[in-house]
Amino acid sequence: MAGDRDAQYYKAWMTHRTVSRRGLFRGLFNAGHQAQVSVEQQDVLRAEGRPPQAVEEVLFVRLCDGCNDCVSACPYGLIQLKDDKAAINIEYADCDFCHKCTDVCTKGALERGIEPNTGLRPTLSFSCLGRMNNYCRQCAITCPQGAINFDEANQVVLNESRCNGCGKCKLACYHGHITLRPKR
Ligand code: SF4
Ligand code: SF4
């Protein structure tokens, strides 16, 4: 079973058009799961928000077969199937990176060694109170990554590489002025 999975994984890996030389050689010579996490996750663009330990997007789309296991495993109901692939949708609870989705994935689409990142990024609407004055900074205060800041003109400055798409800022905004979208 594990052999079948490895074969499937490396077939996808080898045909993946954006694989790096470093990742390729690791994949060939280390032949372990650590090879799967060598892709630089922070630069990966997602078609959808994904469970936080999803492998690189092109590879993920090949490996995720829509089995529904991660959907059932998420204690907050954050994962749904979209186009038969696992996608994360943060509306009423944030992702606490509990790893339960990763733990049940047997296809190699989610991997433990990957730095958690849903690929979602917040956008603050023009109606955001903090953008009109400095009375509200709830999202910036809540963000555990320190990814949200406001400049002197009260406009939001998001540090994209710090943000891991947890969604806590969206939940913190009492007025619903934050939308999470896949980083593009
Ligand atoms: S890490 Fe936990 S909370 Fe986040 S999507 Fe996976 S199961 Fe849900
Ligand atoms: S999604 Fe999470 S990490 Fe990103 S800005 Fe919001 S609270 Fe911070």
Side-chain angles (χ1 to χ4, degrees):
M1 187 69 185
D4 288 350
R5 183 189 138 174
D6 287 346
Q8 182 193 19
Y9 175 80
Y10 284 111
K11 188 176 174 197
W13 180 274
M14 294 297 288
T15 55
H16 173 37
R17 63 186 165 81
T18 61
V19 65
S20 70
R21 280 175 68 87
R22 190 163 134 236
L24 177 63
F25 282 115
R26 279 193 186 169
L28 283 171
F29 294 118
N30 292 343
H33 286 176
Q34 286 310 310
Q36 301 173 26
V37 302
S38 64
V39 175
E40 294 295 331
Q41 289 294 308
Q42 59 269 36
D43 293 326
V44 168
L45 303 184
R46 299 283 185 191
E48 302 288 344
R50 298 296 184 197
Q53 291 183 306
V55 297
E56 189 274 334
E57 182 70 6
V58 176
L59 196 54
F60 176 84
V61 170
R62 295 185 67 116
L63 292 174
C64 174
D65 65 0
C67 70
N68 225 45
D69 287 349
C70 61
V71 176
S72 304
C74 179
Y76 309 115
L78 303 183
I79 307 175
Q80 301 155 358
L81 293 184
K82 202 162 177 185
D83 297 326
D84 289 327
K85 308 293 173 192
I88 192 166
N89 181 28
I90 295 175
E91 291 291 336
Y92 306 109
D94 56 279
C95 174
D96 63 6
F97 303 145
C98 69
H99 309 295
K100 289 191 169 79
C101 48
T102 307
D103 290 345
V104 297
C105 180
T106 58
K107 312 297 166 23
L110 310 179
E111 287 296 339
R112 260 285 188 172
I114 291 175
E115 191 69 27
N117 193 331
T118 66
L120 295 171
R121 294 294 180 268
T123 304
L124 278 64
S125 80
F126 289 112
S127 306
C128 159
L129 302 181
R131 295 183 69 179
M132 296 183 213
N133 55 47
N134 60 4
Y135 294 156
C136 181
R137 292 289 182 263
Q138 197 59 41
C139 55
I141 292 166
T142 303
C143 177
Q145 297 291 109
I148 299 181
N149 290 287
F150 286 79
D151 64 18
E152 290 177 355
N154 293 319
Q155 298 312 296
V156 71
V157 180
L158 178 71
N159 187 322
E160 292 267 357
S161 58
R162 275 184 176 236
C163 175
N164 56 24
C166 69
K168 286 181 170 51
C169 53
K170 177 182 171 74
L171 275 293
C173 180
Y174 305 122
H175 309 283
H177 291 315
I178 297 185
T179 306
L180 295 171
R181 296 194 182 89
K183 183 181 172 188
R184 303 224 187 253

